[in-house]
Amino acid sequence: MSTTVMHEGPKLQFGRGRWIDNWNPENEAQWQSKGKGIARRNLAWSMFAEFLGFAMLAVWGMVVPRLLDVGFQYTVNQMFWLIAMPGLFGAFMRFAYTFAPPRFGGRNWTIASALLLLIPATGLAWAVTNPDTPYWLMLTIATTAGLGAGNFTSSMVNISFFYPEREKGFALGLNAAGGNLGTAWVQFTIPIVIITGAGLALDRAGLMFIPLIILAAMGAYFFMNNLSSAQSDSKALLMSTADKNTWIMSFLYIGTFGSFIGYANSFATLMRLEFPEVTTNYVFLGALIGATIRPLGGWMSDRYGGARMTLVCFAVMIFGCGGVIWVLFQDQPSFPLFLTMFLILFAAAGFGNGTTYRMIPAIFRAQVTDRQTGKVDPTGLVRARRLAGGCIGIAGAIGSLGAFIIPRVFGTFGIKGGFIVFIVAYIVMIITLWFFYERRGSALSFARV
């Protein structure tokens, strides 16, 4: 009779500043004894900071449609610039924040990135109290909300170091969904907190963040850890730029995640412009549906293939856009139908977030898989995983440009014209997806990526 003995290997060492040495989540003994509890604790507080970051990115989408009610005189185009600029700045922050956790420590950077959110929070609280605030200054303050987008990337990078490969997908999926819910939370909360007996108090949209930001920073300070073993793979990021699939997936991710965050940030303003008699209390439903359906997209992709499910996603989004256009062209547009079509758009975009994220590792794995035998080259698999990681970083940053692109399309072409542009874009994405990944005879069609 034999027994299996799990060897923990080098013991975990806990140093000053909550640094941990000898972290190895792949070691089963270490993982079961202490690692799992440490990882879950770090995930919880990292999710909270990321949640606030996503909420900050979306806050101007809720504030802008109420600016006219408190005396600001902005054109529709100016309003969409205020909504768009956090997305543009946020895309750059996602690149910059990728390298921060390994360099400074995940705990340390979570503290710093949380406290940085005080800049857009206090700036918003101050700027909206005075209708004479110069537009250029208002635009600058709105832009700083893009700091919140960086929190998502640094959180995902940090948590990836804490979990073993077999549990990393679930942990990162949970982390991403938790962050996305920040958008729904801020859209649900702001219409409630800004209402006072005397009218509107838009400054509360910024002030409500301050105690939560301090709580996130304190939670990270007392309960999170830094890992000495965490290392950034900047070379993989550079290597992935040479692979055409990185750019194809970045383009497609604009259509899924970019649509989700762009529509979420624009939804309240679109409602006020088209249905001024309707309150914005329903806005949060779109982001809530999009965030909660994301795991289903990943699960369905595992079952039927990510490319195939992404095709379905874009087809449904075309239907949703066409439905919105049809509603708006009616003599008396129906708000319930408008809301229904928009919720279909959010559901499809959230579903597509899961399908495209699943496609990326599958694509790079397929490149090192023998087409005839289905065997995977072990050496090539290591490189494929690195390339997939680099691709995810680049695609995530480029995809988040949707938060800038979609409001600017509405500001330039109007609401109906904007949705026509999006239909054309989704058709191009369907053709691209089919040509490279689903077309019979294409290089990766055999792998059902």
Side-chain angles (χ1 to χ4, degrees):
M1 182 177 179
S2 61
T3 58
T4 301
V5 179
M6 293 190 297
H7 297 284
E8 190 169 337
K11 290 186 177 181
L12 293 177
Q13 295 184 352
F14 301 88
R16 294 183 60 184
R18 298 188 65 85
W19 283 90
I20 297 179
D21 296 326
N22 301 324
W23 180 264
N24 180 16
E26 301 297 341
N27 184 295
E28 187 65 17
Q30 183 189 104
W31 178 250
Q32 294 297 336
S33 61
K34 294 181 180 179
K36 185 185 297 185
I38 293 172
R40 288 177 175 175
R41 187 178 69 245
N42 279 268
L43 172 61
W45 285 101
S46 184
M47 278 178 62
F48 183 49
E50 177 200 359
F51 173 91
L52 293 178
F54 249 96
M56 183 62 70
L57 185 63
V59 70
W60 280 89
M62 294 302 297
V63 169
V64 166
R66 306 309 298 263
L67 290 176
L68 302 181
D69 298 334
V70 294
F72 289 87
Q73 302 297 318
Y74 292 150
T75 66
V76 171
N77 192 39
Q78 286 178 315
M79 291 167 69
F80 278 116
W81 269 114
L82 289 172
I83 296 170
M85 285 307 294
L88 181 62
F89 186 55
F92 290 106
M93 289 300 97
R94 287 184 70 146
F95 273 119
Y97 277 39
T98 298
F99 308 102
R103 181 172 180 81
F104 302 106
R107 163 190 177 261
N108 296 347
W109 187 250
T110 302
I111 296 169
S113 62
L115 292 175
L116 282 172
L117 296 180
L118 290 171
I119 296 172
T122 56
L124 167 62
W126 171 79
V128 297
T129 58
N130 183 7
D132 293 325
T133 301
Y135 180 73
W136 67 266
L137 182 56
M138 186 73 82
L139 191 63
T140 301
I141 292 170
T143 300
T144 64
L147 288 166
N151 287 38
F152 175 82
T153 299
S154 60
S155 177
M156 294 290 277
V157 170
N158 181 43
I159 293 305
S160 70
F161 296 123
F162 278 93
Y163 280 82
E165 287 294 331
R166 67 184 181 277
E167 297 189 30
K168 192 172 291 187
F170 176 76
L172 292 179
L174 185 63
N175 197 39
N180 291 169
L181 285 172
T183 303
W185 170 78
V186 81
Q187 292 178 339
F188 175 79
T189 306
I190 285 181
I192 298 172
V193 302
I194 64 174
I195 300 297
T196 68
L200 292 178
L202 289 183
D203 58 317
R204 293 183 181 181
L207 294 174
M208 73 177 190
F209 277 93
I210 294 176
L212 298 175
I213 290 169
I214 294 172
L215 176 61
M218 291 180 62
Y221 180 86
F222 287 109
F223 300 112
M224 290 186 69
N225 299 96
N226 302 305
L227 300 179
S228 60
S229 60
Q231 297 181 352
S232 64
D233 197 355
S234 55
K235 187 176 180 181
L237 202 68
L238 186 62
M239 287 165 51
S240 66
T241 62
D243 193 300
K244 67 179 181 182
N245 292 290
T246 296
W247 304 109
I248 294 170
M249 292 309 301
S250 296
F251 174 58
L252 297 177
Y253 201 54
I254 293 175
T256 56
F257 176 75
S259 293
F260 168 78
I261 194 66
Y263 289 143
N265 290 353
S266 305
F267 195 18
T269 300
L270 295 176
M271 280 180 56
R272 288 302 301 272
L273 291 173
E274 293 296 326
F275 301 93
E277 74 282 0
V278 177
T279 69
T280 56
N281 293 350
Y282 304 97
V283 170
F284 79 98
L285 291 172
L288 179 63
I289 290 172
T292 53
I293 204 173
R294 179 173 182 154
L296 178 63
W299 180 81
M300 292 287 285
S301 296
D302 287 336
R303 190 175 180 87
Y304 301 108
R308 188 171 302 172
M309 290 297 98
T310 306
L311 283 173
V312 173
C313 156
F314 286 133
V316 175
M317 292 176 77
I318 290 172
F319 171 79
C321 288
V324 172
I325 294 172
W326 177 80
V327 170
L328 295 180
F329 269 110
Q330 301 303 303
D331 292 334
Q332 291 185 330
S334 165
F335 174 72
L337 280 178
F338 174 83
L339 179 62
T340 299
M341 289 301 166
F342 239 111
L343 294 184
I344 289 173
L345 273 175
F346 276 112
F351 184 85
N353 289 345
T355 63
T356 45
Y357 243 56
R358 187 270 184 190
M359 282 180 66
I360 292 174
I363 287 170
F364 288 98
R365 181 184 178 89
Q367 289 181 330
V368 295
T369 301
D370 187 274
R371 191 183 186 107
Q372 302 300 324
T373 65
K375 292 184 178 179
V376 180
D377 174 28
T379 304
L381 184 60
V382 174
R383 185 174 185 275
R385 285 174 175 166
R386 294 183 66 197
L387 287 173
C391 177
I392 287 173
I394 293 172
I398 293 177
S400 66
L401 282 171
F404 171 77
I405 294 170
I406 285 182
R408 288 310 315 142
V409 170
F410 285 134
T412 304
F413 297 99
I415 298 175
K416 300 182 187 74
F419 280 111
I420 292 172
V421 171
F422 299 141
I423 287 175
V424 173
Y426 297 145
I427 290 173
V428 172
M429 290 173 182
I430 283 178
I431 295 171
T432 303
L433 184 61
W434 170 81
F435 182 83
F436 286 105
Y437 305 121
E438 281 293 295
R439 176 178 56 88
R440 182 173 296 181
S442 61
L444 299 180
S445 61
F446 75 97
R448 203 177 70 175
V449 299

